Amino acid sequence: MKFAIGQMVSGVDKAANLAEIARLTEEAAAAGARLVVFPEFAMFDAPKLDEEFIKEGESLDGPFVSGLAALARRTGVAIVAGMLETIEGESRGYNTLVLVTPEEGLSRVYHKLHLYDAFGFLESDHIRPGDIAGPVTFTIDDVTVGMLTCYDLRFPEVAREHADAGVDLLLYPAAWMPGARKEDHWNTLARARAIENTLYVAAVSQGPAVGTGGSIIVDPMGITLGEIGEQSGIAVADATPQRVAQVRSVNPSLANRRFTVVASA
């Protein structure tokens, strides 16, 4: 299954952000991709996560998801993108990933599990964490895909849960915030999640200065299949279950383990 990651720099103009998603999706479609993945908060992003930020949230039947669905139908490409989702009766929102497909429109929804209460940031002040309910997965052609978000990358247990669920390709849309050693952490952790679980990882961040950039696709052996530096653009790669099986026949670390994963709350 050919797929693409689309690195962009989202701002406060939601129409402009959707137009950039459309431009990159059309590039991905021209390259033969069946799926394209965009960053966390692709719909809207601003320097400060506060009450004003939350006011920009939308429901799942709002203009952002409707626009993605129309784009998927027009290009024939499935799209994963991050958005801020409103919660009725609550002042906080969800940090949400949506999958829209040409056939179904809105198909899957993932609410970020691990909120970024780290490095002096308190995402939980304004975002409600998702419920622990098992991996959100989908299949395109014969490849099973899972979705996690940004800070989830620092928690190997949830990636292992996806490997146990049969995921071949694990997506990490992110707005990986700049800071000391952060680019190194991003690249190292993305490669580690691929190598330790012997699956593909596609980690796509907001570009500078919203995020660090450096979006990357890694195969089950840890080989970099595509990488984007500081510019907006796409990278394209192929994922196959056969490659996952081949690597696991050489490196059966999942079969050799002596511990399992148990959710804490």
Side-chain angles (χ1 to χ4, degrees):
M1 188 266 288
K2 184 168 287 188
F3 68 99
I5 54 174
Q7 181 171 297
M8 58 187 288
V9 181
S10 299
V12 298
D13 185 337
K14 290 194 275 189
N17 297 335
L18 190 56
E20 178 68 348
I21 290 172
R23 183 182 73 83
L24 295 173
T25 299
E26 288 164 0
E27 282 190 28
R34 300 266 291 131
L35 166 71
V36 60
V37 187
F38 291 99
E40 179 184 22
F41 290 140
M43 180 189 82
F44 172 90
D45 209 344
K48 188 175 182 181
L49 178 57
D50 56 13
E51 292 80 3
E52 296 303 312
F53 190 108
I54 297 301
K55 290 178 181 176
E56 298 294 334
E58 294 185 5
S59 62
L60 293 175
D61 59 357
F64 181 70
V65 174
S66 298
L68 291 182
L71 179 61
R73 285 194 299 272
R74 177 163 61 82
T75 59
V77 178
I79 302 168
V80 170
M83 64 174 288
L84 173 65
E85 179 188 346
T86 54
I87 305 173
E88 188 173 351
E90 183 165 339
S91 60
R92 296 185 298 176
Y94 280 129
N95 186 334
T96 298
L97 298 179
V98 294
L99 165 71
V100 295
T101 69
E103 300 82 13
E104 298 179 275
L106 180 62
S107 176
R108 299 286 190 282
V109 176
Y110 168 71
H111 296 142
K112 186 178 182 181
L113 286 177
H114 298 95
L115 300 184
Y116 189 54
D117 290 350
F119 295 89
F121 202 82
L122 282 174
E123 186 176 16
S124 61
D125 278 354
H126 301 286
I127 299 293
R128 175 174 165 176
D131 296 328
I132 298 174
V136 177
T137 67
F138 58 94
T139 301
I140 296 180
D141 298 336
D142 55 353
V143 175
T144 301
V145 185
M147 301 191 290
L148 293 170
T149 303
C150 198
Y151 191 50
D152 288 330
L153 183 62
R154 293 185 180 272
F155 298 88
E157 303 88 355
V158 69
R160 179 56 53 87
E161 181 185 40
H162 281 69
D164 286 345
V167 164
D168 302 302
L169 167 62
L170 186 51
L171 312 177
Y172 285 99
W176 200 260
M177 298 184 70
R181 304 295 298 166
K182 295 293 292 294
E183 290 184 54
D184 179 51
H185 293 186
W186 166 253
N187 186 279
T188 299
L189 291 169
R191 298 187 65 251
R193 297 294 88 85
I195 295 167
E196 69 195 3
N197 292 295
T198 51
L199 46 66
Y200 294 89
V201 164
V204 53
S205 175
Q206 295 275 352
V210 174
T212 58
S215 300
I216 188 170
I217 302 170
V218 187
D219 97 335
M221 189 59 92
I223 297 169
T224 299
L225 301 180
E227 191 167 10
I228 305 171
E230 75 282 12
Q231 303 292 330
S232 295
I234 67 168
V236 181
D238 287 297
T240 70
Q242 292 76 21
R243 174 60 172 164
V244 173
Q246 179 201 13
V247 171
R248 289 178 181 175
S249 71
V250 176
N251 174 19
S253 58
L254 289 178
N256 292 343
R257 65 194 153 140
R258 301 181 65 185
F259 295 87
T260 58
V261 175
V262 178
S264 61

